[in-house]
Amino acid sequence: MAIAINGLSLGAIYALIALGYTMVYGIAKMLNFAHGDVIMVGAYIIYTMCTFTWNLGSMPIWLSSLISFVVAVAVCTILGIVIEKVAYKPLRGASPLAALITAIGVSYLLQGIAQLIWGADQRTISILDRLGTVSLGDVVIKWSAIITVVVGAIIMVCLVLFIKRTRTGRAMLAVSEDKGAAQMMGVNVNAIVSTTFAIGSGLATFASLFYLPITSVSPTLGAMPGIKAFAAAVIGGIGSIPGAMLGGVLLGVVEVVCNSISAVASYTTAIEFALLIIILLVRPIGLLGKKRRVKV
Amino acid sequence: MAEMTTKKNRFQNGKWKNYISYIVIIIFLAILIIINLTKGLGFSDKSTLPRIAFSCILAVSLNLVVGFLGELSLGHAGFMCVGAYLGCYTANVLRTSGNIPELVTIILSMLVAGVVAAVFGFIIGLPALRLKGDYLAIATLAFGEIVRCIFKNLPFFGGAMGMSTKLYDGNTLFIIAFITLLFVVFCCQNLINSKHGRAVVAIRDNEIAAKAMGINVTYYKLLIFMVAAFFAGMAGVLYGATIGTIRQETFSYNYSIEILVMVVLGGMGSINGSLIAAAVITWLNITLQSQLSGALAPVKSIVYALILIIIVVFSNAPAMKGFRESINPRNWRKKTEDAGKIKNDAAAWDRIPTKIRMDDPLSVDTRTTYADSPVPPDVVVKNRDELYVKEETGKEEE
């Protein structure tokens, strides 16, 4: 039971990050390697704002934490848009590999700046952990895990509704299908790409809030969840939003289950990535990916 | 007689570029040896030089996969990891087992490293037969992480603490490293200019068409993955000999990406480009690291990242195309040539887009062949932008 909830909560984190990867891939056809570092920036801003507002002491802790979180979401959203405008937009129309390399450059840049501002040492902060635990019979579950699962599920439902029901969402689908045709139909492609990056970065901030109870804040915080969420996006079929959720949850559950078995705990990463390779070999387009025909 | 003319043609066709890398490496090595014998190189130079050499080996071998086979691989550091561990393990065993000459030890360890890495290359080449593009990229990345995770947990390789190996004497190590580099460049050049190499390039340009022409795609893909892995394994041994302690953290996907950066900046499908980019980037990295230490250490990654972004945006952004062409010395000459000639000249074709890859070494879009583009030959194409536009409209009309 505890394993299931923990697995689902880690899965929800991965799914939130994977959504950012998969949406950007669908729209811009590029691997956004800097996505993991947006999580790191989000975590640092939450950390800084929380310690600052808590020390002021004029507000109740839940309110100041909420304000810090909202600020972090705003900053990361703006950061996502700025990254897109400065580093990726000039390269639209160039080869995808060029964009991949600037994404790596942005990733190094964010890590370097974070290290310059906050230093390389690890810091811990408990925000969601303050809620304590709940015991159901014999098992003790952290409230933070439950909140992660519930909020993660709500966000994903909202995102699916947003994409299916709203004008902007449908415009996103149209752009990911065919950029040129969408532009001819009057879709403002630049605005849609910016929106995608903004949503992806906003989701990443949620992920950083939920990730804080599990890890400590450091400049390389984003690297491993970033790469695992990327794997999750590929398992689900990159470009597919339900696929990213499925892949994220699958990977999260596998990771927690493997970690709980002591014989294989140290090989968890290897098992996760082996799972990725096996799924790709059986189904090269991912679990829920769309097949494209190749013509000569 | 016939042989002589072909040789002459080779040089005329620009094949001399194949030999310039050997000449440059040999001259460079000779100068270094002379300096070392007369003045003596500094300690930092002695550790920098082998690092430049094995970075060059890695970049050239990755270029086989990315530039010539056209598959994106993010697991090159994984092969290097395999080679470093097994090669240095072999060397350690050979050294303890008795008085085997040092030269034999190093050759044997490199051979073992290369062969084992090639076996891993075969294993990772198998998914490459089924996966395309970004999916293959993530599969290779996953492979690299798996290898790292396994070596972290194997007790006889030192586990998480890392495995120590004998540090080579700085006076011989850089010579060994550069001779290995020479060997690798020699092998790659000859592979690429052979029947095999042409088949590989054909697969890159159009896999289905290559298959239809009777090229055994399975064989060539596996071959390239294995050869690249072999060289990466050898580079791993050099790494171990230079650094002294092999730790699995080094071989994370970040390292693979760093090698990929060298390949892309040097120009996909250009061995000379890879050599130059690898040397410059490694040197830059080491210099920044030594200049900016302590509290300024993060500045290193900021400077490195900014240089990376600026170079890529500058050299790839469609908006920068006019500026790039205006500063390219080749185009100055071309402009004056073009000015004197008739505009609607059918032969204008030969002059304009065929050498685009050379004009624009950082362009990664090597897959398009401009020779059979649907633009009518009476249009004088002044720059690539126009060519792109016309090509696209031509496609839509179909």
Side-chain angles (χ1 to χ4, degrees):
Chain A
M1 182 66 185
I3 290 175
I5 292 285
N6 286 339
L8 279 178
S9 84
L10 187 62
I13 296 169
Y14 284 161
L16 285 173
I17 310 169
L19 283 171
Y21 271 114
T22 218
M23 285 170 72
V24 166
Y25 186 86
I27 303 281
K29 296 280 175 288
M30 61 163 284
L31 302 175
N32 184 9
F33 260 98
H35 196 63
D37 298 285
V38 175
I39 304 166
M40 180 269 297
V41 172
Y44 265 119
I45 289 172
I46 294 174
Y47 170 84
T48 316
M49 285 297 292
C50 277
T51 43
F52 178 67
T53 48
W54 290 350
N55 285 339
L56 283 180
S58 53
M59 281 178 282
I61 280 182
W62 66 269
L63 185 64
S64 54
S65 308
L66 190 69
I67 291 173
S68 319
F69 177 62
V70 171
V71 169
V73 172
V75 170
C76 282
T77 310
I78 295 168
L79 180 70
I81 296 174
V82 169
I83 291 175
E84 196 270 326
K85 290 276 180 237
V86 174
Y88 304 152
K89 198 180 163 214
L91 291 170
R92 218 177 288 159
S95 98
L97 258 184
L100 181 81
I101 303 243
T102 44
I104 293 157
V106 170
S107 163
Y108 286 159
L109 188 67
L110 291 179
Q111 284 181 18
I113 291 173
Q115 205 179 334
L116 199 64
I117 299 175
W118 288 288
D121 36 326
Q122 307 201 329
R123 296 139 190 260
T124 48
I125 187 168
S126 61
I127 301 166
L128 289 177
D129 275 346
R130 286 168 178 264
L131 297 165
T133 55
V134 61
S135 43
L136 298 167
D138 295 342
V139 287
V140 179
I141 300 165
K142 277 186 184 173
W143 268 113
S144 59
I146 297 173
I147 289 178
T148 306
V149 175
V150 173
V151 177
I154 293 171
I155 291 173
M156 287 174 214
V157 171
C158 289
L159 190 68
V160 171
L161 287 179
F162 171 77
I163 288 192
K164 289 234 165 108
R165 296 288 162 82
T166 63
R167 229 179 135 70
T168 322
R170 282 199 296 257
M172 280 178 171
L173 280 184
V175 172
S176 72
E177 197 80 12
D178 188 333
K179 202 177 273 173
Q183 197 158 22
M184 282 180 197
M185 292 294 138
V187 175
N188 184 347
V189 172
N190 281 339
I192 292 297
V193 175
S194 293
T195 318
T196 313
F197 271 87
I199 294 176
S201 309
L203 292 177
T205 325
F206 276 91
S208 44
L209 175 70
F210 297 144
Y211 202 53
L212 279 177
I214 305 175
T215 179
S216 52
V217 191
S218 71
T220 51
L221 158 85
M224 215 51 207
I227 213 72
K228 281 187 179 162
F230 177 29
V234 175
I235 286 180
I238 199 159
S240 145
I241 285 170
M245 300 173 189
L246 179 70
V249 172
L250 186 68
L251 213 59
V253 172
V254 168
E255 179 166 338
V256 171
V257 169
C258 288
N259 272 333
S260 67
I261 305 166
S262 59
V264 292
S266 49
Y267 290 98
T268 306
T269 316
I271 292 169
E272 280 172 278
F273 284 117
L275 179 78
L276 167 79
I277 292 183
I278 291 165
I279 287 178
L280 281 183
L281 281 182
V282 178
R283 221 180 128 72
I285 44 170
L287 291 174
L288 299 177
K290 264 190 217 150
K291 197 161 192 174
R292 290 235 166 87
R293 291 195 117 183
V294 186
K295 289 178 192 165
V296 181
Chain B
M1 187 66 190
E3 233 171 49
M4 271 187 72
T5 45
T6 47
K7 263 190 183 163
K8 200 181 167 192
N9 281 340
R10 257 191 189 179
F11 276 87
Q12 279 173 344
N13 291 340
K15 287 276 173 75
W16 56 272
K17 279 178 182 156
N18 297 346
Y19 303 102
I20 200 161
S21 53
Y22 307 139
I23 298 166
V24 170
I25 294 172
I26 291 170
I27 292 175
F28 187 61
L29 183 58
I31 292 172
L32 287 177
I33 292 173
I34 292 167
I35 291 177
N36 197 26
L37 287 180
T38 51
K39 275 195 207 159
L41 287 164
F43 177 74
S44 63
D45 291 328
K46 281 178 193 162
S47 70
T48 304
L49 290 169
R51 283 172 75 175
I52 288 177
F54 72 70
S55 296
C56 287
I57 296 177
L58 288 168
V60 168
S61 58
L62 185 65
N63 205 347
L64 287 181
V65 178
V66 182
F68 291 98
L69 187 61
E71 300 283 13
L72 185 53
S73 164
L74 296 177
H76 214 56
F79 300 129
M80 189 188 169
C81 179
V82 173
Y85 270 105
L86 282 145
C88 292
Y89 191 73
T90 317
N92 285 351
V93 168
L94 285 177
R95 275 198 207 101
T96 49
S97 70
N99 42 1
I100 298 162
E102 204 55 19
L103 190 67
V104 179
T105 311
I106 211 161
I107 289 173
L108 263 182
S109 59
M110 278 195 189
L111 208 61
V112 169
V115 169
V116 180
V119 171
F120 276 83
F122 179 79
I123 296 169
I124 198 61
L126 290 175
L129 300 171
R130 250 173 95 73
L131 301 176
K132 282 269 163 316
D134 298 327
Y135 289 95
L136 179 65
I138 181 74
T140 50
L141 192 155
F143 157 80
E145 293 296 307
I146 292 172
V147 167
R148 203 158 70 86
C149 185
I150 290 172
F151 276 105
K152 186 166 86 183
N153 291 304
L154 289 179
F156 49 91
F157 287 131
M161 292 298 294
M163 187 176 85
S164 61
T165 175
K166 191 194 154 198
L167 262 173
Y168 275 91
D169 174 29
N171 291 324
T172 50
L173 182 60
F174 77 90
I175 301 176
I176 296 172
F178 275 96
I179 288 173
T180 318
L181 172 64
L182 213 55
F183 169 73
V184 171
V185 174
F186 175 78
C187 292
C188 290
Q189 294 273 27
N190 280 296
L191 179 70
I192 290 312
N193 293 324
S194 70
K195 184 185 157 194
H196 284 62
R198 285 188 292 274
V200 168
V201 172
I203 293 172
R204 174 192 75 191
D205 288 342
N206 194 326
E207 191 177 327
I208 298 173
K211 230 183 236 172
M213 297 305 289
I215 290 174
N216 186 346
V217 173
T218 310
Y219 167 77
Y220 285 109
K221 277 192 175 177
L222 289 177
L223 174 83
I224 289 296
F225 266 95
M226 287 172 72
V227 170
F230 187 94
F231 293 144
M234 285 170 66
V237 178
L238 285 176
Y239 170 85
T242 316
I243 308 290
T245 316
I246 304 163
R247 298 169 62 88
Q248 44 85 26
E249 291 98 341
T250 324
F251 307 105
S252 70
Y253 67 95
N254 276 322
Y255 200 92
S256 304
I257 286 172
E258 210 159 280
I259 308 167
L260 182 71
V261 167
M262 293 168 191
V263 172
V264 174
L265 289 187
M268 312 251 287
S270 159
I271 287 177
N272 294 348
S274 292
L275 290 172
I276 296 169
V280 171
I281 288 177
T282 314
W283 175 80
L284 187 72
N285 234 334
I286 295 171
T287 316
L288 286 176
Q289 211 156 23
S290 61
Q291 296 297 319
L292 305 165
S293 55
L296 283 174
V299 178
K300 177 225 154 193
S301 63
I302 294 176
V303 171
Y304 182 71
L306 283 178
I307 291 176
L308 205 61
I309 295 172
I310 291 168
I311 290 180
V312 173
V313 169
F314 171 77
S315 59
N316 279 289
M320 294 283 196
K321 212 152 264 170
F323 180 64
R324 277 205 299 278
E325 270 159 32
S326 69
I327 59 159
N328 190 339
R330 279 201 197 100
N331 285 354
W332 300 343
R333 207 174 55 210
K334 213 176 277 172
K335 252 179 220 159
T336 47
E337 270 175 22
D338 284 351
K341 287 186 178 167
I342 322 146
K343 266 194 176 176
N344 294 346
D345 179 7
W349 263 120
D350 305 331
R351 282 203 310 279
I352 308 150
T354 42
K355 278 175 105 185
I356 273 170
R357 231 197 297 166
M358 287 294 165
D359 291 343
D360 197 356
L362 292 160
S363 154
V364 221
D365 185 16
T366 52
R367 294 175 189 231
T368 327
T369 40
Y370 293 85
D372 46 27
S373 112
V375 191
D378 55 351
V379 181
V380 172
V381 184
K382 279 180 192 137
N383 59 33
R384 270 176 80 179
D385 285 324
E386 278 179 39
L387 194 72
Y388 270 114
V389 173
K390 279 179 189 133
E391 241 196 2
E392 271 167 24
T393 44
K395 263 182 199 162
E396 265 159 37
E397 274 162 18
E398 276 172 17

